[in-house]
Amino acid sequence: MDLHESWTAQAHRAVTELLAESAADAYGSFSPSVYETARLISLAPTLPAHKDRIGFVLDRQRPDGTWGGPDDYRFVPTLSAIEALLRVLHRREMPGAGERIAAATARGLDAMDRAARTGAGPSLPDTVAVELIVPGLIIDINRLLEAPAPAELAEWHGHRLPIPAGARPELLGSLREAVRHGRELPGKLLHSLEIIGPPARGATFAGPTEHGVGCSPAATAAWLGTETAVPGGSPCLAYLEAVRGPEGAVPVAAPLALFERSWILSTLASSGLGLPAHGEPADAVDAALTESGAAGGTGLPPDADDTATALYALALLGRPREPDSLWKYRTGRHFHCFPAERTPSTTANAHVLQAFGAWLATHPASPARYADALTGLVAWLCEQQRPDGSWADKWHASPYYATACCATALADYGGAAARSAVRGAVDWVLLSQHDDGTWGRWGGTYEETAYAVKILLNTRVPRTGDAIARAAAHGALSLLHWDQDAEHPPLWHDKDLYTPLRIVRAEALAALHLAHTDPAVSALLAEPVTGQEFEPS
């Protein structure tokens, strides 16, 4: 941000640029994925930029031998990278780099073996299809280790990685057998079609389009098989080229235009930033809603989270649509994202609360079931709050995202029943700020700091003293001075952790707008602010 330009001018310019970028991009802007890129290395070695992808994976290995995020989030990308590099070695694709590839593979295997021996993992994170992806990769790795290996990996010949608790190899085997015999997979599993292996190639139920299979480069590569780069090949080859980044790497999901656009619109509008009611991308969000709701991207089934966020965004723009498509997702007092969901999502239910609350605000004579559902959602969300005042969620690694979603929804539509929960969230944020003014689960991040500032300022908790204003100002100053070239750590859940880059920009823009338009906070932004101790009320 330009500290010499007025905030009003900055905000207008930034909003205009962000909306224009999202409207013009049918795929969305998302960080590259080690897991997904390694699947392309393994499944589609004839695709263009194959050697670049291998280099990307090698360069992303951490000093401890793993790949991916902190803690349990390292296991899925690490297993994917190991399996892919073993394939490269067995296919003898890059003899000049064989020693480096073997050394990286050995470090990865050693990290997995060391974790198993010390009881440190893998403990499965709550990411997409993890109970199927992990055993599938381990089975494939163990088979590769049984085959004659390059001399550099001789000590690993015959070694077997154990399948961890929580994995479901028996279910994976049943799914692979079903596809082998021509039976269809449930729609939501198309996104992870690569777990099926060779039987997935050319599967008739997958229905590839110019946007690939299952909103996933890896699923698309599995459907195409190893002989992909052939004259007159499948039209989804163009899709794989379109999602390829400069290092040959690909995101874990694409295209996700509806997801990106609805999150941007709801984030900016709910923070008081004026947006056009019509035109792109708002018209595209409206057009994406059907009787079954909305899907986050092409190739995915509709879900409650994307449906509710799209409905809420349109309501904030003054074009409300009745949220009756959400009823199919109701289960008791809360709503599931997809049928047969393994774990419920707090943030998806917060978004449903916002969709219902925004509808009732303009249509108070709606059927009683809307008000009844709203009451149940408020109670359910309050029950999910953790003792420290935060929330956790299946779609994000950080409690700051989950808490921002739940606390702001409850502040707007929870009434008296939610006041204590909202106050607890604000107290938790005040107590967890780092000395440099940032917030974050593993260390201060741009994204999590934006969520924390929003929690402080968008929940409208009555203030005693200046603790909230000073903490928000300290956080806002850190956002203003952030190195915009720095990489944002991936925190969002899919098969691998990822960053929705434009959504993170929208979150920071919204947080800064709240800070600049809050009289107490804006008065502090002209001078340095130091952290202050806070005793919760």
Side-chain angles (χ1 to χ4, degrees):
M1 293 292 179
D2 183 350
L3 300 183
H4 301 289
E5 186 181 18
S6 75
W7 171 251
T8 300
Q10 288 187 66
H12 176 76
R13 175 171 49 80
V15 167
T16 300
E17 291 175 356
L18 189 57
L19 295 180
E21 284 180 25
S22 187
D25 185 356
Y27 291 93
S29 179
F30 303 94
S31 62
S33 162
V34 169
Y35 166 82
E36 202 84 357
T37 302
R39 293 302 80 223
L40 262 63
I41 293 171
S42 179
L43 296 166
T46 60
L47 282 176
H50 179 64
K51 291 182 179 180
D52 291 340
R53 277 187 283 279
I54 295 171
F56 168 82
V57 168
L58 292 173
D59 291 344
R60 290 298 178 106
Q61 189 172 29
R62 290 163 33 156
D64 67 356
T66 65
W67 283 264
D71 302 338
D72 296 341
Y73 293 107
R74 58 190 162 146
F75 293 113
V76 166
T78 297
L79 291 170
S80 185
I82 291 171
E83 194 276 345
L85 295 178
L86 280 170
R87 296 269 184 206
V88 170
L89 291 168
H90 279 280
R91 294 189 299 232
R92 302 186 183 279
E93 292 171 351
M94 295 179 65
E99 186 174 336
R100 182 187 177 196
I101 294 170
T105 307
R107 288 197 302 274
L109 287 166
D110 184 64
M112 291 292 93
D113 188 60
R114 189 168 59 250
R117 283 187 283 104
T118 60
S123 175
L124 303 187
D126 194 7
T127 48
V128 171
V130 67
E131 76 279 17
L132 303 174
I133 289 172
V134 165
L137 289 171
I138 289 176
I139 289 168
D140 291 344
I141 288 169
N142 288 343
R143 285 175 180 163
L144 289 166
L145 291 176
E146 289 171 2
E152 296 91 341
L153 290 176
E155 65 177 297
W156 292 99
H157 180 67
H159 186 83
R160 298 187 65 81
L161 295 177
I163 294 177
R168 301 192 63 186
E170 73 293 338
L171 175 58
L172 176 61
S174 297
L175 293 169
R176 287 178 168 177
E177 192 66 18
V179 175
R180 189 176 289 112
H181 286 86
R183 293 196 289 275
E184 293 188 15
L185 291 176
K188 69 177 184 178
L189 282 180
L190 286 182
H191 184 55
S192 308
L193 185 65
E194 70 274 9
I195 64 174
I196 300 301
R201 182 174 182 179
T204 56
F205 60 81
T209 70
E210 69 274 16
H211 296 302
V213 174
C215 199
S216 163
T220 303
W223 187 88
L224 284 168
T226 55
E227 298 300 322
T228 54
V230 295
S234 169
C236 50
L237 285 171
Y239 158 76
L240 290 173
E241 281 293 288
V243 298
R244 174 165 61 93
E247 297 175 281
V250 293
V252 74
L256 289 172
L258 183 279
F259 164 57
E260 179 182 272
R261 292 165 182 173
S262 59
W263 254 255
I264 288 173
L265 291 171
S266 62
T267 294
L268 298 179
S270 65
S271 297
L273 280 154
L275 303 179
H278 292 275
E280 296 291 344
D283 290 349
V285 170
D286 185 65
L289 284 164
T290 69
E291 290 184 0
S292 298
T298 305
L300 296 175
D303 68 274
D305 202 11
D306 287 289
T307 300
T309 305
L311 288 164
Y312 182 54
L314 291 172
L316 293 174
L317 295 177
R319 355 180 359 180
R321 290 181 55 173
E322 185 171 0
D324 51 350
S325 56
L326 288 169
W327 292 118
K328 65 179 290 186
Y329 302 102
R330 192 178 187 184
T331 173
R333 292 182 302 160
H334 72 280
F335 290 67
H336 56 247
C337 290
F338 300 101
E341 187 174 45
R342 180 159 41 93
T343 50
S345 165
T346 55
T347 64
N349 279 275
H351 295 146
V352 174
L353 175 60
Q354 289 173 321
F356 281 173
W359 175 256
L360 285 170
T362 55
H363 297 78
S366 296
R369 64 176 180 166
Y370 283 108
D372 292 342
L374 190 145
T375 300
L377 279 167
V378 169
W380 186 84
L381 283 170
C382 289
E383 290 168 8
Q384 308 312 306
Q385 189 175 28
R386 301 194 293 191
D388 64 1
S390 67
W391 278 267
D393 187 55
K394 66 183 291 180
W395 295 122
H396 206 282
S398 172
Y400 291 96
Y401 170 75
T403 305
C405 292
C406 295
T408 54
L410 289 170
D412 287 340
Y413 303 110
R419 284 176 190 158
S420 177
V422 175
R423 166 60 78 177
V426 170
D427 287 353
W428 171 71
V429 169
L430 289 169
L431 286 166
S432 61
Q433 188 173 25
H434 300 306
D435 290 342
D436 63 357
T438 65
W439 284 267
R441 175 177 174 179
W442 292 290
T445 69
Y446 190 70
E447 179 182 349
E448 291 167 284
T449 299
Y451 295 140
V453 172
K454 283 179 59 180
I455 294 165
L456 293 177
L457 301 182
N458 226 9
T459 53
R460 301 175 304 282
V461 168
R463 304 179 185 186
T464 54
D466 63 355
I468 290 176
R470 294 189 72 81
H474 199 187
L477 281 172
S478 70
L479 293 175
L480 287 167
H481 290 90
W482 209 279
D483 178 5
Q484 295 303 307
D485 293 327
E487 185 174 332
H488 299 301
L491 296 168
W492 292 66
H493 285 186
D494 198 290
K495 293 175 281 186
D496 193 3
L497 292 181
Y498 72 101
T499 303
L501 297 167
R502 292 194 185 107
I503 291 174
V504 169
R505 282 168 57 192
E507 291 292 348
L509 183 58
L512 287 169
H513 181 72
L514 289 167
H516 280 90
T517 54
D518 182 290
V521 178
S522 62
L524 295 168
L525 289 179
E527 60 184 63
V529 179
T530 57
Q532 297 225 333
E533 294 184 359
F534 171 74
E535 293 297 330
S537 56

